[in-house]
Amino acid sequence: MDPVNILTFNEPDEAAPVIQRLEQSGIKAEIQDQRNLQKYWFISEPLAGVRVRVDKKDYQRAKELVQEWDGKEACLDHAIHCPECGSSEIEYPQFTRKFVLPTFYALLCKIGLFETEFYCQHCHYTWPTKIKLEGPKDVLGWPNKRKSATSATRS
């Protein structure tokens, strides 16, 4: 088997139904769980560490089936995709776990000097794990410190 990633999840339980459906359709699929490796690299929350893998020759058919199922039943609600290109080749955090040097960077992330982000291996886009909400801005894009008329009437 020449495995390729087709989907990425945070938990194996989220990937299990997709694996079962692929196998019922005659496509051999497996789960690769990298969460333990993330824990050893001092990452507090292992995310995007569960990969659904299929044989390279079955990739296109599996991808079409999964998209069809998602359109009918929304079976990919928990899958992680790149917001830019839609790829499921996602790494978290954005540094490799295959070399010792990133351990130093992981420690800096752990103490809060840097934030860890998701990283798309396909288009190299990075995005945060949590969306930061910004307050209202004025016409020029500066933070608006005044209360808006709607919030003043509700107070």
Side-chain angles (χ1 to χ4, degrees):
M1 182 168 158
D2 186 15
V4 292
N5 295 340
I6 189 168
L7 295 170
T8 303
F9 293 92
N10 288 329
E11 297 291 330
D13 296 342
E14 298 167 346
V18 176
I19 294 278
Q20 290 173 352
R21 297 222 28 207
L22 286 169
E23 289 182 351
Q24 288 171 355
S25 299
I27 298 174
K28 186 175 189 248
E30 64 182 25
I31 292 179
Q32 180 187 31
D33 192 350
Q34 297 181 339
R35 293 173 307 147
N36 287 334
L37 186 59
Q38 287 178 332
K39 289 177 189 175
Y40 292 129
W41 287 102
F42 308 107
I43 310 301
S44 60
E45 53 182 333
L47 300 174
V50 177
R51 313 252 193 262
V52 175
R53 298 166 58 107
V54 297
D55 195 357
K56 193 174 192 174
K57 66 179 175 57
D58 295 327
Y59 176 80
Q60 191 60 38
R61 183 169 164 245
K63 186 175 177 180
E64 290 168 1
L65 284 171
V66 167
Q67 287 175 348
E68 179 184 325
W69 298 332
D70 188 45
K72 293 177 182 175
E73 305 163 17
C75 66
L76 300 182
D77 285 347
H78 298 288
I80 301 169
H81 297 284
C82 174
E84 284 291 307
C85 70
S87 172
S88 62
E89 292 286 329
I90 307 301
E91 288 287 329
Y92 177 83
Q94 70 273 23
F95 50 87
T96 182
R97 294 181 289 272
K98 298 177 177 110
F99 191 61
V100 177
L101 188 59
T103 304
F104 178 70
Y105 183 73
L107 289 171
L108 294 177
C109 290
K110 181 72 174 176
I111 61 174
L113 293 177
F114 293 102
E115 289 188 29
T116 54
E117 296 179 321
F118 288 109
Y119 171 74
C120 176
Q121 293 178 334
H122 187 257
C123 71
H124 309 290
Y125 182 72
T126 60
W127 68 98
T129 57
K130 297 180 178 95
I131 298 172
K132 296 179 183 177
L133 297 176
E134 296 183 14
K137 295 187 178 192
D138 64 10
V139 177
L140 298 174
W142 290 87
N144 191 354
K145 294 182 182 177
R146 295 184 297 155
K147 288 185 178 179
S148 65
T150 57
S151 64
T153 59
R154 293 182 184 166
S155 298

